[in-house]
Amino acid sequence: MRVEEMLFRPLVAIDKNRRFVPALATSWAASSDGLVYDFRLDPKAKWDDGTAVTSDDVSYTIERIRDPKIAAGNWRWGFEDLRSVETPDPATVIVRFQAPYAQRMLAFTMPVVSAAAYRRGTGLDRQPVGSGPYRLESWVSKQKIVLARRADVSAADYPFARMVFRFIPDQTVRFRAGSAGELDEFKVSRDQRAAAVKTPEFASKNRLERVPQFAVVLVVWNLKNPRLADPRVRLALAHCWDRADAARRLYPPEGASLLSGPYPAGASENAAGIPPPSFDPAGSRRLLDAAGWRMGSDGVRRKADLRLSLEYLYPSSFPIYVNIAEIFREAAQKVGVEVLLRPLDWAAYTQRYAAGEFDVAPTNQEFIPPNLDQYPFFHSSQVPPKGLNAGFYRNPAVDRALEAARKEMDERKRLELYREVHRLMAADPPADFIWNAAQYWGLSNRLSGVELSPLGLFHFQPGPLAWRPISPRAEKAE
């Protein structure tokens, strides 16, 4: 995605405050009923082969997104109810829909591709024709991607002649290269953070930034399992473990931002006055008792012929998920719930999770673009195989709030509906919404113009396109 954002301009962009700003479209208008969107394109926009970006390119991009043979799942949600795309002239695009959707504008942050290049159909993956300030110069698989500033782009606006993206999968190797000044930006793990703070070499060449993530870590309950059908059981499981202590241990030194609902910490969509689940094993036991689950002689609760035993599915390649699974298993055992850990490789995990074939499973929702509409994840119509409601959550009140929010074009009223979703899910949780945690990045002291956003370092405008070298002689960013 970061390479793509250097090569392609979106139709509209998002700034660091999640507001829409011009990109290929310099202006736009939406009808009051949310059914018609009118975009006017930048007359100066050109592809890197010198041809003009036109309304035909936008229309073609939308056609490809809607093509079921194309893997465009990241964007198809915004165009499923498309009525038509009109291109009355090269600079005008009019897009009509069958129904209003309040977050529709986020769909238009998709990268626009060249219709002429795609129709030629040759070399597109390795020789893309882009509209951004950089073009692909070279790509050595599993080693590096090199972008070069376009000849028709001003060095005053984009001072880096080249951008080099290096593939360094080993965290230790990456940290050493960054500490030695061989990289201009690089991710720093929590373990490496302590070394970065103490190492003179790191400080002489870099600064350490704590970068937000617009994401939520959650553990999903599968309501197909009758053991989890009662919300008291799910609330008991949320209260049985000490998430604050786990956050401090897993994300030193400051921990993570604990959550009580489906939105990232600090987002205005969060309802006020709903605290994260407290660590309350006694309260957890009372909830399980009230739900009719009695402690058995073997330390596992029972109701009729059911044992309160759950399979916890998780990807073994992610240490955080491994740690959460172990912490949760141990805590649940103390309140009479048996948790059977089932580690899987990533491919097997994602297949089973998407199909809803689990009892309990962790996941991470990263909101790129920053669309906090929870309809795809928790509306009752979105269960597998159709949608992303992998836990088969069904709550008529939540459904009504989600449906109303999608149609509500008034931002203030829509915000209150999102907050109502939060309140409803706090009482009847589809998941244990755990936390969102910042990441650490090393940034070269040679860089200026770096800004942070709730979205992080990337995926907003101008983002890295605004970075500048301290020295005017700098030629390259890595």
Side-chain angles (χ1 to χ4, degrees), residues 70-292:
I70 303 299
N74 283 358
W75 300 105
R76 189 168 291 132
W77 57 267
F79 300 97
E80 289 177 330
D81 64 335
L82 181 74
R83 185 181 296 278
S84 66
V85 179
E86 301 169 13
T87 54
D89 60 63
T92 303
V93 183
I94 300 172
V95 188
R96 302 181 186 273
F97 295 92
Q98 300 176 42
Y101 177 42
Q103 300 286 11
R104 184 80 68 186
M105 276 296 294
L106 287 169
F108 295 111
T109 63
M110 81 285 189
V112 175
V113 301
S114 165
Y118 269 81
R119 285 166 181 155
R120 288 194 300 268
T122 56
L124 296 175
D125 292 337
R126 295 281 170 161
Q127 297 172 318
V129 175
S131 58
Y134 291 87
R135 60 176 179 79
L136 179 64
E137 180 175 275
S138 64
W139 181 353
V140 182
S141 292
K142 299 183 180 181
Q143 293 186 37
K144 64 181 178 180
I145 291 175
V146 180
L147 309 183
R149 187 178 60 223
R150 286 169 46 169
D152 59 341
V153 168
S154 167
D157 293 331
Y158 303 100
F160 294 110
R162 280 177 174 74
M163 287 192 176
V164 180
F165 293 83
R166 292 175 57 187
F167 291 76
I168 311 178
D170 185 280
Q171 290 190 13
T172 301
V173 174
R174 183 170 64 241
F175 182 70
R176 288 174 179 167
S179 298
E182 298 172 17
L183 303 174
D184 293 300
E185 55 93 356
F186 55 100
K187 188 176 177 181
V188 176
S189 72
R190 295 282 168 157
D191 293 337
Q192 293 165 344
R193 178 200 167 275
V197 171
K198 297 176 182 177
T199 305
E201 181 187 38
F202 182 96
S204 68
K205 296 181 172 64
N206 305 285
R207 60 191 184 274
L208 193 67
E209 288 281 2
R210 184 172 179 266
V211 178
Q213 289 191 90
F214 206 61
V216 169
V217 176
L218 61 156
V219 175
V220 178
W221 315 122
N222 194 325
L223 273 63
K224 283 196 306 181
N225 187 326
R227 298 166 180 82
L228 293 167
D230 191 324
R232 291 173 293 187
V233 174
R234 288 173 263 140
L235 288 168
L237 291 169
H239 284 289
C240 80
W241 67 291
D242 191 344
R243 67 197 61 226
D245 177 69
R248 285 191 295 269
R249 288 191 283 138
L250 297 179
Y251 298 96
E254 75 285 338
S257 298
L258 302 185
L259 304 176
S260 60
Y263 311 120
S268 57
E269 287 81 356
N270 284 293
I274 303 179
S278 60
F279 177 44
D280 185 6
S284 179
R285 294 186 186 96
R286 287 193 296 271
L287 284 166
L288 292 170
D289 288 340

Side-chain angles (χ1 to χ4, degrees), residues 437-458:
Q439 295 178 330
Y440 281 96
W441 287 79
L443 293 165
S444 170
N445 292 332
R446 298 173 298 195
L447 288 177
S448 66
V450 178
E451 289 191 302
L452 295 180
S453 159
L455 306 180
L457 278 172
F458 315 105

Side-chain angles (χ1 to χ4, degrees), residues 26 65 155 162 230 257 315 330 402:
T26 56
I65 288 172
R162 280 177 174 74
D230 191 324
S257 298
E330 182 178 347
L402 291 172

Side-chain angles (χ1 to χ4, degrees), residues 338-362:
E338 181 181 58
V339 175
L340 305 174
L341 300 184
R342 183 74 66 187
L344 295 175
D345 65 56
W346 179 246
Y349 171 80
T350 54
Q351 183 177 4
R352 281 192 58 179
Y353 180 86
E357 297 174 354
F358 61 88
D359 295 335
V360 184

